């Protein structure tokens, strides 16, 4: 029997020679992000770096909750664009960051992933959250090719 891998939950993209691990996850809600980050924080001594964003034209009330969870469990947080759709992506990022000094804003998701990977230290864990299995980024009426996994592997 051959089983096909389901492209949803937490998935390892790569483990580097220095024991740094890069994961992606479909965590799009505060509860999902909490589950992923709390598990790492409780069970491992690694520092957690998070790349996160929120989609546009969706529930804006969850943005501050995502930020709260991210700040509780992550050592470094890069706030970037997810699928801004028809909403102003800068406003989405500002609503997540909300004056937090712990969060670094990098609008371009590709650059945020690259920067996060390049700044990992030995034994760190990077979790790229939000888009998971998606292979596109929606900006206004355009659906552009975008794959977190392929982009991550390019910079690893």
């Amino acid at each position: 029997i051959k089983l096909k891998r389901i492209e949803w939950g937490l998935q390892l993209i790569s483990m580097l020679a220095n024991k740094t691990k890069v994961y992606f996850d479909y965590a799009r809600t505060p509860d999902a992000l909490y589950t992923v980050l709390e598990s790492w924080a409780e069970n491992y001594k690694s520092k957690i770096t998070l790349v996160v964003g929120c989609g546009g034209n969706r529930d804006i009330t969850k943005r501050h909750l995502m930020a709260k969870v991210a700040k509780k469990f992550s050592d470094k947080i890069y706030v970037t664009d997810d699928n801004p759709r028809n909403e102003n992506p800068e406003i989405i990022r500002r609503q997540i960051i909300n004056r937090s000094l712990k969060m670094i804003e990098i609008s371009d998701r590709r650059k945020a992933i690259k920067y996060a990977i390049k700044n990992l230290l030995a034994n760190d864990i990077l979790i790229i959250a939000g888009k998971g299995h998606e292979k596109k980024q929606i900006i206004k009426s355009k659906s552009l090719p975008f794959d977190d996994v392929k982009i991550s592997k390019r910079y690893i």
Side-chain angles (χ1 to χ4, degrees):
I1 297 174
K2 276 192 171 181
L3 298 177
K4 184 178 178 184
R5 184 177 63 133
I6 298 174
E7 294 185 342
W8 285 80
L10 185 70
Q11 293 185 26
L12 179 66
I13 295 172
S14 182
M15 185 166 77
L16 306 174
N18 66 358
K19 300 204 184 320
T20 297
K21 295 177 184 161
V22 179
Y23 290 89
F24 77 93
D25 192 90
Y26 192 68
R28 304 184 89 95
T29 66
D31 288 342
L33 190 62
Y34 184 94
T35 300
V36 171
L37 296 177
E38 181 204 29
S39 175
W40 281 109
E42 283 186 357
N43 297 303
Y44 300 94
K45 304 244 185 273
S46 303
K47 292 194 181 251
I48 298 171
T49 298
L50 178 67
V51 173
V52 67
C54 290
N57 303 110
R58 299 292 187 264
D59 182 6
I60 66 168
T61 62
K62 76 175 184 180
R63 294 174 188 167
H64 80 279
L65 298 173
M66 295 285 280
K68 186 176 178 180
V69 170
K71 287 188 284 187
K72 181 174 182 174
F73 296 110
S74 304
D75 299 286
K76 292 180 199 169
I77 305 160
Y78 299 97
V79 177
T80 191
D81 293 344
D82 188 302
N83 291 319
R85 296 179 180 82
N86 293 313
E87 205 172 329
N88 182 328
E90 185 177 352
I91 291 173
I92 295 171
R93 292 189 309 272
R94 291 278 106 213
Q95 289 172 337
I96 297 168
I97 294 170
N98 192 25
R99 298 183 301 275
S100 172
L101 298 176
K102 192 175 185 180
M103 297 185 177
I104 300 165
E105 181 178 5
I106 303 176
S107 61
D108 183 304
R109 190 172 181 90
R110 184 180 318 271
K111 288 180 182 175
I113 291 169
K114 178 182 179 182
Y115 191 81
I117 289 170
K118 297 295 180 192
N119 287 285
L120 290 170
L121 301 174
N123 297 309
D124 282 359
I125 292 172
L126 169 60
I127 298 173
I128 302 167
K131 294 186 64 56
H133 71 289
E134 293 179 4
K135 306 292 187 238
K136 62 185 178 184
Q137 187 174 37
I138 304 167
I139 302 172
K140 303 250 181 245
S141 60
K142 295 180 182 174
S143 184
L144 307 169
F146 198 96
D147 186 329
D148 282 348
V149 175
K150 285 182 182 177
I151 290 165
S152 299
K153 286 183 177 181
R154 184 177 304 145
Y155 298 120
I156 289 174

